[in-house]
Amino acid sequence: MHIIGTAGHVDHGKSSLVRALTGTDPDRWIEERVRGMTLDLGFAHLRFGDGVEAGIIDVPGHERFLHNMLAGAAGMEVLLLVVAANEGPAAQTLEHLAILGYLNVRHTIVVLSKIDLVAAGERANAQARVREVLGGTVADGAPVIGVSTRTNEGLDTLREAIHAALAALPARAPEAPPFLPVDRVFALAGHGTIVTGTLMQGRIATGEALVLQPGGRHVRVRSLQVFGEKRDAVSGGMRVAVNLPGVEVGDVARGDVLAAPEFATSTNVRVRFRALPGKLAAMRRRTPVRAYFGSAELLGTLALDALEGAGDERAATLTLRAPAITVPGQAFVVRRLTPKVLLGGGTVEAVAAAGAEEADETPDVAALRTALVAAGLQPKTAAELGAAANVREARAAAILDELVAAGRVMVLARPVAFLAIEATADVLARIEAFVRTRQAERPWALGVTSLAIARAIALDEPLVIRVLVSLVDDGRLAQRLGYYATLDFSPSLSPEQRAFFERYTAIDPAQPVVPNSLEVLVTEMRRSAIPGLSQAFDTLVATGALVKVGTDVYRGTQIADIRARLETLLRREKQITVSAFRDAIGSSRKYAVPLMEWFDATGVTLRSGDLRVLREHA
Ligand SMILES: Nc1nc2c(ncn2[C@@H]2O[C@H](COP(=O)(O)OP(=O)(O)OP(=O)(O)O)[C@@H](O)[C@H]2O)c(=O)[nH]1
Ligand SMILES: [Mg+2]
């Protein structure tokens, strides 16, 4: 088996294509289906009559979810680059291509999607434009196949091209030690914890002893599945679900690796780094980065051996903030810490034993580090630390900045103060473990509040908030509406919760713009015995899947539809009354008035007297 991946700009038709090819909707969650947008990786099984098969990984196109795309990208061997024929290549078409250029893609097929939207006479043009833009990328010279999932045009040609590509691929290092980056973790009632991922190399058999890294926990494989079918053994290139008895869901996460005991973790990796064209000029000798290995996002510092020199390729050392598994020959991608721009990628040359980078510490640095460690969990300013270490304040501040960039020291804001990573490591680990456990217990919630975290780890909330803010700044946790969550986490409702909201926000096909009553929904939520409904509701509102308008509740798709009609009307008429709006959307005054006010409040429209204009015109 091999892995096919989708890539391409938001809304260009990746998930529709996967659905057309396999019959499986890769958008697993109600939020995705309601918003019509992929948020996280989706998976589907592609089978041909002659037994050739593949796993498909479908990625989100929206740039906000690029970290999720990256978690799936390393496993891809055959790339389906989806470009909407009516729009042509766009920002994430090129960004995804740049990323995949560093990874393991062996064969690319360009899918010119939505071909039904382009007149017959225009198609040759659209094809030529795509070919031109994709020159010099991994898609250079790839076949371009026009496809429509509406009319099914081109699907058979595409199937044949995929089949030929799969049949030509070599097996993935079956004799190498197994290496499985985890991309999903969930609990299955009666079975315990299941992890899934793409087996990058080697074989795994039932009963085998493996190690969960980082952490080094020894585990035994109870059972294996490939797309729902039980297997006794699996090999490289398969999408694998592994049942791990005795492992709690909160103990393992996307980014961990299930690996053979041969692998050891390290923080010190020698790499060959290839910068994207033009990016080297904007880098320093040492640049704080996010490095993507397998399904993991690892924070660290990329130190180039030399900044100057010809070409975009450099020998470099990647110092990771926490030990992780990397393998010689492994391909990776790096983005800047903030803003998260793609800098380049490369391959691992050698993995050094941990701790090798500490040799060149000066006495000042050592004294400051001792002062930091002595302060424990008490944040100290540069002046205080300088005094304790007998170092001038300005010099202390400069050294502390370097230690922060190297990931040895954590900086807190308001007022600026520092904590040694050693001192905080335990707190950070406890925060992360608690957040992960809570996410597993209540996957429908947006995350965990600072108060809940402070209680769980028995520390003062103000200190916890300062630590959390810095974790968010660092890209180690995400914060939405006051809830903290790990980066790999996207909330997902339980089947009962989904069914509940499907039912009480159902749309009458005869009156597609009519909302449901918020009061009825809330009453039903209270009456229901389904746990977590109010948190699930907050999640749906926060993600835009549901929208509260006055005393009504709309689905996100309804609002999008109404807004499109409103904007079309306003572009034509320039200014409208509530009645004109009501008639245009085919609703009643009862709903039109609060809707109009909601569009005013959200900055779409501007009110002047009884009339509305588009804010973008005003
Ligand atoms: N006319 C036409 N519309 C299509 C076709 N394929 C997809 N669409 C529409 O395009 C929109 C986006 O399709 P998706 O498949 O969700 O796009 P996507 O690339 O998966 O989007 P993200 O995952 O959010 O990046 C939907 O409204 C589809 O119905 C097609 O072949 N023809
Ligand atoms: Mg999609």
Side-chain angles (χ1 to χ4, degrees):
M1 187 186 271
H2 292 279
I3 302 296
I4 299 171
T6 65
H9 198 69
V10 63
D11 248 7
H12 276 201
K14 298 175 289 299
S15 302
S16 307
L17 183 70
V18 173
R19 209 176 306 124
L21 287 170
T22 66
T24 303
D25 189 341
D27 288 340
R28 283 175 280 146
W29 297 326
I30 186 176
E31 296 92 313
E32 297 184 307
R33 292 186 187 178
V34 169
R35 287 165 86 190
M37 183 194 275
T38 305
L39 311 179
D40 194 13
L41 301 174
F43 307 97
H45 192 190
L46 179 65
R47 264 177 293 199
F48 291 92
D50 62 356
V52 169
E53 56 174 350
I56 304 189
I57 300 182
D58 181 45
V59 305
H62 197 290
E63 63 174 322
R64 261 191 59 214
F65 309 117
L66 192 70
H67 57 277
N68 288 335
M69 180 273 173
L70 280 156
M76 299 176 180
E77 297 175 273
V78 174
L79 170 62
L80 297 181
L81 181 73
V82 178
V83 182
N86 56 331
E87 290 182 25
Q92 269 61 50
T93 317
L94 299 173
E95 185 167 39
H96 287 185
L97 269 183
I99 287 167
L100 290 157
Y102 292 107
L103 300 175
N104 306 306
V105 170
R106 308 288 182 95
H107 191 100
T108 300
I109 299 169
V110 178
V111 176
L112 202 54
S113 59
K114 310 194 187 183
I115 198 73
D116 56 292
L117 296 181
V118 174
E122 282 299 310
R123 293 185 180 184
N125 242 341
Q127 290 225 1
R129 193 152 62 106
V130 169
R131 286 215 168 84
E132 191 186 317
V133 175
L134 302 185
T137 71
V138 272
D140 198 347
V144 180
I145 302 176
V147 170
S148 166
T149 56
R150 290 271 158 86
T151 64
N152 291 341
E153 179 182 346
L155 273 176
D156 287 337
T157 314
L158 176 62
R159 276 204 188 87
E160 280 166 30
I162 294 174
H163 185 272
L166 290 172
L169 284 178
R172 280 174 89 144
E175 302 313 324
F179 186 86
L180 183 114
V182 171
D183 51 35
R184 279 179 75 200
V185 181
F186 54 90
L188 202 61
H191 294 268
T193 296
I194 313 278
V195 301
T196 73
T198 302
L199 183 56
M200 298 296 280
Q201 58 178 39
R203 292 176 207 281
I204 300 178
T206 315
E208 195 161 334
L210 294 172
V211 183
L212 206 47
Q213 296 281 22
R217 176 166 182 170
H218 290 265
V219 294
R220 195 163 287 280
V221 174
R222 181 191 278 156
S223 64
L224 293 162
Q225 284 198 353
V226 176
F227 287 110
E229 267 175 35
K230 209 164 151 47
R231 305 272 177 121
D232 295 328
V234 293
S235 55
M238 289 183 172
R239 285 290 315 166
V240 182
V242 188
N243 183 355
L244 297 175
V247 176
E248 296 295 319
V249 164
D251 294 346
V252 43
R254 172 175 289 178
D256 290 350
V257 182
L258 188 60
E262 284 90 333
F263 296 107
T265 58
S266 169
T267 54
N268 196 296
V269 191
R270 283 295 291 168
V271 300
R272 193 121 272 284
F273 171 71
R274 205 154 32 87
L276 275 181
K279 288 287 186 255
L280 219 42
M283 288 175 71
R284 288 179 291 159
R285 268 248 304 146
R286 301 165 56 80
T287 307
V289 295
R290 302 159 191 273
Y292 297 85
F293 284 86
S295 57
E297 180 182 68
L298 307 174
L299 301 184
T301 305
L302 184 71
L304 306 176
D305 284 5
L307 197 51
E308 272 76 44
D312 288 322
E313 205 168 306
R314 295 286 183 277
T317 299
L318 181 63
T319 307
L320 301 172
R321 289 198 194 172
I325 289 207
T326 59
V327 185
Q330 187 176 3
F332 65 92
V333 168
V334 294
R335 292 206 280 170
R336 195 183 279 287
L337 196 62
T338 40
K340 303 176 198 165
V341 261
L342 189 64
L343 293 174
T347 47
V348 174
E349 302 229 292
V351 180
E357 74 280 7
E358 292 191 28
D360 56 349
E361 200 165 89
T362 65
D364 283 357
V365 176
L368 275 169
R369 297 217 318 127
T370 307
L372 276 161
V373 171
L377 276 173
Q378 273 309 313
K380 299 278 183 201
T381 64
E384 288 168 337
L385 288 165
N390 197 20
V391 176
R392 305 287 295 253
E393 183 183 344
R395 167 102 181 109
I399 293 173
L400 287 163
D401 280 349
E402 291 219 340
L403 289 171
V404 169
R408 318 287 300 265
V409 167
M410 166 177 267
V411 56
L412 303 177
R414 273 174 282 154
V416 173
F418 302 88
L419 289 171
I421 288 290
E422 291 91 330
T424 58
D426 172 57
V427 174
L428 300 188
R430 278 156 61 207
I431 290 179
E432 204 180 329
F434 175 67
V435 170
R436 285 198 187 281
T437 305
R438 261 303 170 82
Q439 286 171 179
E441 287 166 1
R442 303 178 189 172
W444 52 82
L446 278 174
V448 191
T449 61
S450 56
L451 183 64
I453 295 171
R455 283 199 184 133
I457 65 171
L459 275 182
D460 285 351
E461 198 192 359
L463 175 63
V464 168
I465 290 176
R466 292 177 76 195
V467 172
L468 287 170
V469 166
S470 115
L471 288 174
V472 170
D473 255 16
D474 253 16
R476 294 212 240 177
L477 286 181
Q479 196 261 111
R480 261 199 309 197
L481 300 178
Y483 289 90
Y484 295 86
T486 57
L487 294 188
D488 57 9
F489 177 71
S490 297
S492 69
L493 273 56
S494 70
E496 297 76 33
Q497 292 169 341
R498 270 179 238 184
F500 175 91
F501 287 106
E502 297 270 15
R503 174 162 172 209
Y504 290 105
T505 67
I507 302 172
D508 177 357
Q511 297 173 293
V513 297
V514 170
N516 283 278
S517 152
L518 187 59
E519 197 188 321
V520 171
L521 181 64
V522 169
T523 308
E524 292 300 335
M525 277 164 57
R526 288 211 188 98
R527 286 217 315 234
S528 168
I530 301 169
L533 279 180
S534 81
Q535 283 173 322
F537 179 62
D538 286 347
T539 296
L540 292 173
V541 172
T543 54
L546 294 180
V547 181
K548 287 194 270 189
V549 177
T551 57
D552 308 317
V553 57
Y554 289 83
R555 289 192 177 192
T557 44
Q558 287 180 299
I559 290 289
D561 178 29
I562 294 168
R563 179 177 174 165
R565 289 200 235 175
L566 170 65
E567 287 180 340
T568 309
L569 180 69
L570 274 168
R571 288 213 175 88
R572 198 177 60 221
E573 305 290 333
K574 301 297 176 243
Q575 51 184 33
I576 54 163
T577 59
V578 170
S579 323
F581 169 61
R582 176 200 62 202
D583 295 344
I585 63 168
S587 188
S588 63
R589 191 163 179 87
K590 172 175 160 210
Y591 300 125
V593 171
L595 270 174
M596 235 16 299
E597 284 166 3
W598 187 82
F599 283 115
D600 291 340
T602 51
V604 176
T605 47
L606 205 63
R607 178 175 188 162
S608 74
D610 285 341
L611 295 171
R612 254 78 177 196
V613 296
L614 263 187
R615 190 175 278 265
E616 64 185 45
H617 287 173

